Amino acid sequence: EASGNGHGSPKRRRMNKKHVFTRPMTINVQYKGILGDLFRARLVASSLVAQGCSRRILTHLIPDTVDLDIENAMFVLLHQLVVRLNAVMPSSCLALLRRCAEERDELIANVLGMNRTDGKKFLNKIINGGGVYDDIKDAHFIRELQTLCSVLQWLAMDVIPEVYERCRSEKKEHPERSVLFYSWSAAEDFVVQAWAEYVSQFDLAHVSLHFDGLRVSTPLPQPIEVFCRDCEAAVFERTGFHVRIRQKEHLTLVQGVH
């Protein structure tokens, strides 16, 4: 907006940035399961909302929020599913699955010889049927992981054959990998929905689903460590699953260097 200043040139009026975009907004988001009515699965937002943005972008879009997630969700939930189903599998495979669920960081450091970030990606890749590299510290351990992957895939196909048939009918390149993913992500969705229901009692300004966790607004009603422990207790009470919930930190490039 401009106005004359008596000298023939417009005078610019400065905008008070403190008052830009301060109007309260309420957005109700609908989520739908990626397998429809066939089988419980991850819920995906039906519109472009927080769930569809990267975590680094969200730190700028909704800065007064924290990212809480289930630590080591895939292995933790797979192990508990196998135990709760009383599934039959070789004892060596069950023992390895337990170690991946409870001692993942030790396996990454002492067996794989990797840093934590690369090791997490590598373990997830192998258990989901991906290939391996040639320079791994312990080749025998990799073969054990591949055997565990095959056993879990067969178990998933046996427990939810209708999902496997859907994957085959959709001509997925590796339907056995897809059905394994759907098996543990169903438990993940069960846990996250129970968690979201518990959190809803606090009437937080923002709550969004992010597959293995929630993004919630601050301030929280309790210190964040206490809040996470109470969420874990509520999840166990509602689902019977033991999970570890923690705040996920996302460093900038500059923070990572320093």
Side-chain angles (χ1 to χ4, degrees), residues 85-97:
L85 289 170
N86 198 25
V88 176
M89 66 164 52
S91 58
S92 58
C93 288
L94 183 58
L96 178 56
L97 182 57

Side-chain angles (χ1 to χ4, degrees), residues 59-79:
T59 61
H60 301 284
L61 288 179
I62 42 177
D64 296 326
T65 60
V66 290
D67 184 15
L68 306 178
D69 71 356
I70 303 168
E71 188 171 11
N72 197 16
M74 180 182 70
F75 284 114
V76 166
L77 294 173
L78 271 173
H79 178 245

Side-chain angles (χ1 to χ4, degrees), residues 46 67 69 72 127 183 209:
S46 57
D67 184 15
D69 71 356
N72 197 16
I127 212 66
S183 67
L209 306 185

Side-chain angles (χ1 to χ4, degrees), residues 16 21 66 79 98 142 144 152 171 173 205-206 209 223 242:
N16 187 342
F21 303 128
V66 290
H79 178 245
R98 183 200 60 77
I142 301 306
E144 290 182 326
L152 290 171
K171 301 190 184 303
E173 185 175 1
H206 177 92
L209 306 185
H242 292 277

Side-chain angles (χ1 to χ4, degrees), residues 4-188:
N5 62 1
H7 297 284
S9 61
K11 179 181 179 181
R12 296 192 178 277
R13 183 175 300 168
R14 296 169 65 93
M15 292 184 66
N16 187 342
K17 293 184 178 181
K18 292 191 297 182
H19 298 296
V20 179
F21 303 128
T22 58
R23 181 171 59 86
M25 296 177 63
T26 299
I27 301 176
N28 293 318
V29 179
Q30 290 188 333
Y31 296 83
K32 60 180 180 180
I34 55 180
L35 285 178
D37 296 329
L38 178 65
F39 189 69
R40 186 178 200 126
R42 280 181 167 179
L43 295 180
V44 178
S46 57
S47 56
L48 181 58
V49 291
Q51 188 190 71
C53 299
S54 73
R55 284 163 165 162
R56 294 193 184 278
I57 289 176
L58 291 176
T59 61
H60 301 284
L61 288 179
I62 42 177
D64 296 326
T65 60
V66 290
D67 184 15
L68 306 178
D69 71 356
I70 303 168
E71 188 171 11
N72 197 16
M74 180 182 70
F75 284 114
V76 166
L77 294 173
L78 271 173
H79 178 245
Q80 292 181 63
L81 277 172
V82 167
V83 172
R84 292 175 67 167
L85 289 170
N86 198 25
V88 176
M89 66 164 52
S91 58
S92 58
C93 288
L94 183 58
L96 178 56
L97 182 57
R98 183 200 60 77
R99 290 185 70 194
C100 289
E102 299 177 4
E103 304 167 12
R104 183 187 61 178
D105 288 354
E106 180 184 337
L107 290 176
I108 289 172
N110 299 331
V111 179
L112 293 179
M114 293 181 172
N115 62 57
R116 190 170 185 270
T117 299
D118 291 341
K120 285 165 57 178
K121 292 178 181 178
F122 183 81
L123 287 175
N124 288 352
K125 179 181 179 181
I126 299 301
I127 212 66
N128 282 293
V132 299
Y133 308 108
D134 295 329
D135 56 349
I136 296 303
K137 184 176 178 181
D138 191 331
H140 176 68
F141 177 71
I142 301 306
R143 289 192 293 272
E144 290 182 326
L145 272 178
Q146 291 173 319
T147 299
L148 174 60
C149 170
S150 297
V151 169
L152 290 171
Q153 288 174 352
W154 278 106
L155 177 61
M157 287 186 284
D158 183 59
V159 173
I160 44 175
E162 67 278 14
V163 175
Y164 178 63
E165 290 303 321
R166 166 73 72 83
C167 294
R168 289 186 60 194
S169 68
E170 293 177 347
K171 301 190 184 303
K172 291 186 180 292
E173 185 175 1
H174 298 285
E176 69 283 356
R177 298 182 189 177
S178 297
V179 73
L180 175 57
F181 164 76
Y182 288 132
S183 67
W184 68 264
S185 61
E188 175 190 72

